[in-house]
Amino acid sequence: MKHHVDANWSHAVLVCKKCSKKLKGGFGPDGSQKLSKELKARLGSKKGRKGRLGVIEVGCLDVCPKKAVMLVDSRHPGVWRIVRPDADLDALAGELAAAD
């Protein structure tokens, strides 16, 4: 029996599902996409473990900003980001994709 499965990820980006649900989208050109879906598209993230990084929706992170979504980059777990719908997602995706 296997005890592990290999993945191509260099790191993971955790996006609060509860924040996303409260916003009912809010991201993308027409403001109808969830942050996680929009980031996956901009980062060219493949499905599952085959991508170079993972964008994962997680349960409530217990920090609930008004009209924004909490995001955690696993490379910097001590710094959580508040992402508002008017944020520059191209710049954010560039920061998240950049190698340390």
Side-chain angles (χ1 to χ4, degrees), residues 5-81:
V5 176
D6 293 329
N8 294 333
W9 294 2
S10 61
H11 61 287
V13 176
L14 310 178
V15 179
C16 180
K17 184 183 262 185
K18 187 174 179 182
C19 291
S20 294
K21 189 174 181 179
K22 283 182 179 181
L23 272 182
K24 297 179 179 138
F27 297 92
D30 60 356
S32 66
Q33 292 293 331
K34 294 193 305 185
L35 177 60
S36 59
K37 189 166 186 169
E38 193 63 28
L39 284 176
K40 284 179 185 180
R42 290 171 192 258
L43 292 168
S45 183
K46 294 180 183 174
K47 188 171 180 156
R49 61 191 178 90
K50 295 178 182 171
R52 58 187 180 91
L53 68 95
V55 178
I56 308 289
E57 278 193 324
V58 297
C60 185
L61 294 170
D62 290 333
V63 177
C64 301
K66 293 197 186 284
K67 298 178 184 172
V69 177
M70 291 303 302
L71 177 142
V72 180
D73 182 345
S74 67
R75 297 173 298 176
H76 308 287
V79 179
W80 294 16
R81 296 178 188 230

